[in-house]
């Protein structure tokens, strides 16, 4: 009963394909926006049947946190915030679209989970709004 209504973050929603990562960071069709301490790089593309509608990559560079325990804490904060609010993105996508998102941590300092969540929700709302505008403009 405790898990009723909870959203999850399954492996299909994790971006692990080197090809997708290179397309996201190397392609000219990706977009970027920031809400310190997060920067988000995203793009939409045609969705294949076996793929999730949203795939997420989380990057916390070693130059910001030398210790893995610190990097893992930040990743956990971002993952949890995404998991709780991912419907902001999935609601703005059509059945044939896939959204690729990379979250990059920009700060050398830890942030409270509430602050990380607030910033990530702000970025997700902006991505969803832009995606809906592009979808209605076509």
């Amino acid at each position: 009963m405790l898990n009723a209504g909870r959203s999850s973050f399954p492996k299909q929603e994790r971006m692990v394909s080197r090809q997708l990562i290179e397309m996201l960071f190397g392609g000219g069709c990706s977009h970027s926006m920031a809400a310190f301490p997060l920067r988000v790089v995203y793009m939409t593309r045609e969705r294949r049947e076996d793929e999730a509608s949203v795939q997420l990559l989380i990057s916390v560079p070693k130059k910001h946190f030398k210790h893995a325990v610190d990097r893992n804490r930040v990743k956990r904060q971002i993952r949890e915030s995404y998991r709780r609010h991912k419907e902001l993105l999935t609601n703005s996508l059509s059945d044939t679209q896939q959204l690729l998102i990379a979250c990059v941590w920009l700060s050398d300092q830890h942030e409270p989970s509430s602050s990380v969540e607030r910033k990530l929700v702000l970025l997700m709302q902006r991505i969803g709004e832009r995606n809906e505008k592009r979808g209605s403009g076509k």
Side-chain angles (χ1 to χ4, degrees):
M1 260 323 204
L2 289 176
N3 290 338
R6 291 186 65 191
S7 52
S8 62
F9 185 49
K11 288 195 177 208
Q12 297 94 352
E13 292 183 10
R14 299 170 195 229
M15 190 186 328
V16 293
S17 165
R18 183 176 298 270
Q19 183 180 4
L20 288 180
I21 294 169
E22 287 176 359
M23 183 189 329
L24 181 62
F25 284 101
C29 55
S30 61
H31 307 280
S32 175
M33 60 179 70
F36 193 80
L38 287 169
R39 177 174 167 250
V40 175
V41 179
Y42 68 97
M43 69 180 285
T44 54
R45 70 178 202 133
E46 262 324 286
R47 181 176 162 203
R48 298 190 184 127
E49 289 181 27
D50 57 336
E51 294 178 328
S53 58
V54 178
Q55 285 192 341
L56 180 70
L57 169 75
I58 300 172
S59 174
V60 182
K62 197 184 273 190
K63 75 176 189 178
H64 294 306
F65 293 110
K66 301 294 183 215
H67 300 253
V69 66
D70 294 322
R71 293 191 301 274
N72 291 340
R73 175 181 178 220
V74 173
K75 289 180 194 176
R76 195 167 43 251
Q77 288 176 311
I78 295 170
R79 261 196 318 269
E80 181 63 11
S81 299
Y82 168 77
R83 184 192 68 76
R84 293 176 67 188
H85 300 283
K86 66 182 176 182
E87 72 279 351
L88 293 171
L89 297 172
T90 55
N91 292 343
S92 70
L93 294 171
S94 70
D95 293 339
T96 60
Q97 285 182 315
Q98 181 184 34
L99 185 60
L100 305 176
I101 301 176
C103 292
V104 182
W105 188 259
L106 301 174
S107 176
D108 293 337
Q109 303 293 319
H110 284 288
E111 295 279 333
S113 294
S114 60
S115 174
V116 173
E117 184 170 353
R118 191 172 53 252
K119 298 294 176 78
L120 187 62
V121 166
L122 172 71
L123 290 168
M124 290 168 65
Q125 287 172 337
R126 288 171 55 193
I127 291 170
E129 289 169 3
R130 286 188 180 183
N131 195 42
E132 285 177 354
K133 284 180 186 175
R134 264 191 235 112
S136 64
K138 289 183 178 178

